[in-house]
Amino acid sequence: FQVQLHRSGIIRFVYKEIPMEVDNITEATHPVIAGIAGGYREGEHFTLFDIINLDKNKIRSGTTYTLIPQSSCLDETSCKSCKERSPNCHWCPTFTKVHVWRGLF
């Protein structure tokens, strides 16, 4: 398969030819994971967040799976528009940028 990353944030998975049906791969033979995830590592510990799982039943030869990003606080360019969007959106006047609290710190 091929993964295309676009400047717009769109992620496209292109499946030209899959040698066997994904449903026929057993977890005992090989773990089947389809999707993307963000995460961070602290020493030996790895924490995942923002996991997006693709529907494995839709993955077939000759198909494309497209993920289109939603707009978010990070698109805001002023303190006013930031505060109007969401209570989780916080403006940083020093850098004139949005800071989104994700509970990671």
Side-chain angles (χ1 to χ4, degrees):
F1 77 97
Q2 180 185 59
V3 176
Q4 300 171 349
L5 305 174
H6 298 266
R7 289 187 191 275
S8 64
I10 290 174
I11 301 171
R12 185 168 285 131
F13 295 87
V14 180
Y15 299 95
K16 183 177 179 182
E17 185 177 335
I18 297 182
M20 69 185 312
E21 297 293 325
V22 177
D23 294 338
N24 293 340
I25 303 171
T26 64
E27 292 289 328
T29 308
H30 189 280
V32 179
I33 300 169
I36 59 174
Y40 63 96
R41 179 183 303 275
E42 288 184 52
E44 295 297 313
H45 182 71
F46 190 76
T47 301
L48 287 175
F49 57 88
D50 290 339
I51 299 169
I52 300 173
N53 292 309
L54 304 181
D55 184 348
K56 292 183 256 186
N57 296 322
K58 293 182 180 178
I59 298 173
R60 303 275 183 251
S61 292
T63 61
T64 300
Y65 215 121
T66 303
L67 303 176
I68 301 171
Q70 298 177 346
S71 67
S72 72
C73 292
L74 299 174
D75 298 323
E76 301 304 331
T77 57
S78 73
C79 181
K80 182 179 186 293
S81 62
C82 171
K83 290 181 186 285
E84 289 171 352
R85 179 179 278 274
S86 165
N88 294 326
C89 223
H90 302 284
W91 188 255
C92 180
T94 304
F95 297 105
T96 61
K97 297 279 184 203
V98 172
H99 166 71
V100 182
W101 174 254
R102 309 253 341 185
L104 299 176
F105 304 106

